[in-house]
Amino acid sequence: MILPWNRSELAIVFTMEQCSAITDALTQAGIDCHVKARDRSSCGGRGRSGTPFQEHRWLYTIYVLRRDLPAAQAATGLSPIR
């Protein structure tokens, strides 16, 4: 189970296609992941400060277990965020 204190952020993407491609690669590698989807146009958030016709309305954050981060980066071809 991926809990907030034992997870690491693997990627932030703006389309469902990118999110699906990453989670499919993680599933094929046998790595558990968690996706948090946020609507950037909801009230009270930073999303309201954007243009009226935002191209990227949703923000998808993909998390993996901290111990699985190097394997997840290798499986997806992503480089470290920091």
Side-chain angles (χ1 to χ4, degrees):
M1 178 175 227
I2 298 178
L3 299 171
W5 55 83
N6 70 350
R7 71 182 183 189
S8 289
E9 188 176 285
L10 176 65
I12 298 174
V13 295
F14 296 101
T15 65
M16 183 59 118
E17 292 80 17
Q18 291 172 326
C19 183
S20 294
I22 292 171
T23 56
D24 288 345
L26 292 171
T27 302
Q28 289 177 359
I31 300 170
D32 192 23
C33 66
H34 174 75
V35 177
K36 182 176 182 180
R38 287 179 274 178
D39 185 1
R40 295 179 60 210
S41 65
S42 62
C43 316
R46 293 180 122 198
R48 292 184 57 85
S49 65
T51 62
F53 302 102
Q54 283 182 326
E55 182 179 340
H56 303 295
R57 181 176 170 191
W58 287 90
L59 178 74
Y60 303 94
T61 307
I62 304 167
Y63 297 99
V64 295
L65 287 172
R66 188 170 292 135
R67 68 171 185 248
D68 292 339
L69 184 60
Q73 290 170 341
T76 58
L78 297 172
S79 60
I81 294 174
R82 292 173 182 73

